[in-house]
């Protein structure tokens, strides 16, 4: 494989929700702090056999039986496979062999597997192993996630799908978003910034599990949470000095922080993920994407110079939102990085407070109040909800009970007098 820098060729115009990963200069040569060939040779020695058809005659028996393609991008493709050794379905991500392949591309791919594997959290997909396909391309296997993306959920809510309205009412959305924040808080504690958070990279499993996907653009930084005893993530790129340099722009324009859209590499950190989370929360609540420009480049320009923090009330003028959720989104999307939450853990704490405010105030009420507050959602996608309402009053129940007691006392006295 060539050491020369290569340019990725896009076969269609890029949209605002496409992922950008391009450099302002050629990628650095692979340094000698770690030998990529040695790593790949080691994987070559340990690689299992893989076949595309169970009917093929292979000796020894193949470990993976390749199934259908689950997705494909500019870097690689994800396929479903059957792990013959452990008797389970898995997902396998394979690096593409194309014009964009380089030493840096291979190192990025290996680093993605390493980062994902070291983020051992319920909201991060477990990685099982890394190896090389018989054709020579690196791959890693991971848990097969069955479910739908948050982007798909938002689209169903936009069109007024009644089933989704019931499943994802106001309080349910806050709870789901908090689980996303908890997963990112763990990543930030491990010194990892995702850099490509968006509804399409967040999956909701069939049993409600939340999985943050696609860590291919992740960056390692110093953890902003020194009080947590977590070992920092280490990757082949980090060890060899191949981390992205200044001037690089990586991510999805519609969900980029200003510093990320400008390629200000030095200042990209956990607060950049916080900004993306704020954009996601605003969209999840209002069902309107913050950056709605028509082209990739115009969206990138808008993200570079935002006019101010995001005001959710302007996204959905016909809706009502509590001051609490509005305040959280404003703080998460401050253009000034120093004015935002410093990491996802702080954002998660404030979301927890919003959730607590919506719960009945006593344990008795909590036990009988089985349904979360729901809202009306019209076909335009506007949410008619005001979570500042007081919880249902108990006064009518007390008046009714008192009335019954009075009737019983009067009946008793009449019986005695009779």
């Amino acid at each position: 494989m060539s050491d020369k820098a290569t340019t990725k060729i896009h076969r269609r115009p890029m949209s605002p929700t496409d992922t950008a990963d391009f450099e302002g200069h050629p990628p650095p040569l692979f340094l000698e702090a770690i030998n990529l060939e040695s790593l790949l040779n080691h994987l070559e020695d340990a690689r299992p056999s893989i076949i595309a058809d169970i009917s093929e005659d292979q000796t020894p028996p193949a470990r993976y039986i390749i199934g259908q393609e689950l997705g494909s991008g500019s870097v690689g493709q994800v396929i479903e496979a059957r792990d013959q050794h452990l008797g389970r379905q898995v997902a396998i991500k394979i690096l593409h062999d194309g014009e964009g392949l380089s030493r840096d591309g291979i190192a990025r791919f290996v680093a993605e597997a390493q980062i994902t594997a070291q983020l051992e959290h319920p909201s991060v997909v477990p990685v099982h192993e890394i190896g090389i396909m018989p054709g020579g391309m690196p791959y890693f296997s991971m848990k097969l996630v069955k479910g739908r993306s948050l982007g798909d959920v938002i689209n169903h809510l936009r069109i007024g799908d009644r089933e989704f309205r019931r499943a994802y009412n106001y309080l349910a959305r806050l709870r789901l978003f908090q689980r996303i924040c908890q997963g990112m808080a763990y990543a930030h504690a491990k010194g990892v910034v995702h850099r490509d958070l968006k509804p399409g990279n967040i999956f909701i499993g069939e049993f409600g599990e939340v999985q943050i996907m696609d860590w291919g653009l992740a960056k390692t930084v110093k953890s902003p949470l020194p009080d947590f005893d977590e070992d920092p993530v280490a990757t082949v790129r980090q060890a060899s000095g191949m981390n992205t340099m200044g001037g690089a722009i990586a991510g999805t324009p519609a969900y980029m922080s200003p510093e990320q859209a400008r390629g200000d590499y030095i200042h990209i950190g956990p607060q950049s993920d916080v900004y993306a989370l704020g954009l996601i929360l605003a969209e999840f609540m209002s069902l309107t994407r913050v950056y709605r420009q028509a082209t990739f480049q115009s969206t990138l320009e808008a993200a570079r110079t935002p006019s101010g923090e995001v005001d959710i009330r302007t996204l959905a003028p016909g809706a009502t939102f509590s001051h609490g959720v509005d305040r959280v989104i404003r703080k998460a999307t401050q253009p000034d990085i120093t004015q935002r939450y410093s990491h996802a853990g702080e954002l998660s704490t404030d979301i927890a407070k919003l959730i607590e405010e919506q719960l009945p105030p006593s344990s008795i009420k909590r036990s009988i109040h089985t349904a979360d507050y729901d809202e009306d959602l019209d076909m335009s996608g506007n949410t008619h909800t005001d979570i500042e309402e007081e919880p249902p009053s108990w006064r009518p129940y007390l008046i009714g009970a008192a009335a019954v007691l009075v009737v019983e006392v009067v009946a008793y006295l009449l019986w005695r007098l009779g």
Side-chain angles (χ1 to χ4, degrees), residues 60-93:
R63 174 169 184 175
Y64 294 111
I65 307 301
I66 301 303
Q68 64 180 345
E69 181 181 285
L70 300 175
S72 181
S74 60
V75 175
Q77 67 178 143
V78 180
I79 55 178
E80 184 175 354
R82 175 74 176 175
D83 186 336
Q84 297 284 83
H85 289 184
L86 298 175
R88 63 182 176 184
Q89 297 299 111
V90 299
I92 294 180
K93 186 166 186 177

Side-chain angles (χ1 to χ4, degrees), residues 26 30 39 80 106 136 141 143 201 207 245 280 283 294 338 348 418:
F30 194 87
L39 174 62
E80 184 175 354
I106 295 174
S141 64
K143 174 185 175 181
N201 280 343
F207 297 95
M245 304 300 290
I280 292 170
E283 182 175 351
T338 64
S348 176

Side-chain angles (χ1 to χ4, degrees), residues 150-151 154-155 157-158 173 198-199 254-255 277-291 310 312 315 329:
L150 179 59
I154 292 173
N155 286 334
L157 291 172
R158 282 189 180 118
R173 295 183 208 182
K198 56 185 176 182
Y255 300 95
L277 289 169
L279 297 178
I280 292 170
L281 179 60
E283 182 175 351
F284 197 18
M285 290 301 184
S286 70
L287 306 183
T288 303
R289 205 174 71 220
V290 175
Y291 293 115
V310 173
I312 192 173
L315 294 178
I329 291 171

Side-chain angles (χ1 to χ4, degrees), residues 289-308:
R289 205 174 71 220
V290 175
Y291 293 115
R292 302 187 296 280
Q293 286 72 17
T295 66
F296 181 94
Q297 192 61 39
S298 61
T299 304
L300 188 63
E301 290 298 327
R304 284 173 176 166
T305 55
S307 57

Side-chain angles (χ1 to χ4, degrees), residues 94-346:
I94 304 170
L95 182 64
H96 277 322
D97 185 6
E99 295 182 38
L101 187 62
S102 63
R103 287 175 179 269
D104 186 66
I106 295 174
R108 284 175 182 267
F109 186 82
V110 173
E112 177 185 354
Q114 292 174 325
I115 288 172
T116 311
Q118 292 174 51
L119 294 178
E120 298 179 282
H121 187 275
S123 292
V124 180
V125 179
V127 169
H128 304 317
E129 68 164 357
I130 185 170
I132 296 180
M133 298 288 284
M137 296 308 297
Y139 79 92
F140 61 88
S141 64
M142 54 190 165
K143 174 185 175 181
L144 177 64
V145 179
K146 295 182 178 180
R148 63 178 74 247
S149 72
L150 179 59
D152 191 24
V153 169
I154 292 173
N155 286 334
H156 277 274
L157 291 172
R158 282 189 180 118
I159 64 174
D161 189 307
R162 300 190 69 83
E163 179 183 350
F164 280 76
R165 283 176 51 191
R166 287 192 295 270
Y168 296 97
N169 57 42
Y170 202 94
L171 187 54
R173 295 183 208 182
L174 287 177
R175 285 171 169 161
L176 188 149
F177 183 75
Q178 187 192 23
R179 294 202 295 276
I180 299 170
C181 291
Q182 289 170 337
M184 286 311 306
Y186 176 76
H188 291 166
K190 297 277 286 183
V192 174
V193 179
H194 190 285
R195 290 205 299 173
D196 199 20
L197 289 172
K198 56 185 176 182
N201 280 343
I202 297 166
F203 266 70
I204 304 163
E206 293 179 333
F207 297 95
E209 65 273 27
V210 174
Q211 307 273 229
I212 303 167
M213 312 287 286
D214 201 347
W215 297 80
L217 295 182
K219 170 189 173 184
T220 53
V221 298
K222 183 178 179 181
S223 172
L225 306 173
D227 295 337
F228 285 79
D229 187 21
E230 294 290 342
D231 293 330
V233 164
T235 73
V236 62
R237 281 172 54 80
Q238 181 182 4
S240 56
M242 291 184 69
N243 278 322
T244 307
M245 304 300 290
I249 299 176
T252 303
Y255 300 95
M256 278 187 186
S257 65
E259 64 275 7
Q260 196 171 346
R262 292 191 297 265
D264 186 1
Y265 182 79
I266 294 176
H267 292 102
I268 293 175
Q271 296 97 328
S272 305
D273 281 346
V274 165
Y275 193 96
L277 289 169
L279 297 178
I280 292 170
L281 179 60
E283 182 175 351
F284 197 18
M285 290 301 184
S286 70
L287 306 183
T288 303
R289 205 174 71 220
V290 175
Y291 293 115
R292 302 187 296 280
Q293 286 72 17
T295 66
F296 181 94
Q297 192 61 39
S298 61
T299 304
L300 188 63
E301 290 298 327
R304 284 173 176 166
T305 55
S307 57
E309 70 273 15
V310 173
D311 182 357
I312 192 173
R313 299 173 197 274
T314 64
L315 294 178
T320 54
F321 301 95
S322 77
H323 174 68
V325 73
D326 178 56
R327 175 183 52 79
V328 167
I329 291 171
R330 284 177 178 274
K331 184 171 182 179
T333 59
Q334 287 288 331
D336 183 350
I337 195 171
T338 64
Q339 300 301 310
R340 297 176 212 155
Y341 297 100
S342 62
H343 52 79
E346 290 184 353

Side-chain angles (χ1 to χ4, degrees), residues 3-16:
D3 294 343
K4 295 181 180 179
T6 56
T7 302
K8 294 180 182 176
I9 299 176
H10 299 286
R11 302 186 184 278
R12 60 174 175 78
M14 297 186 72
S15 74

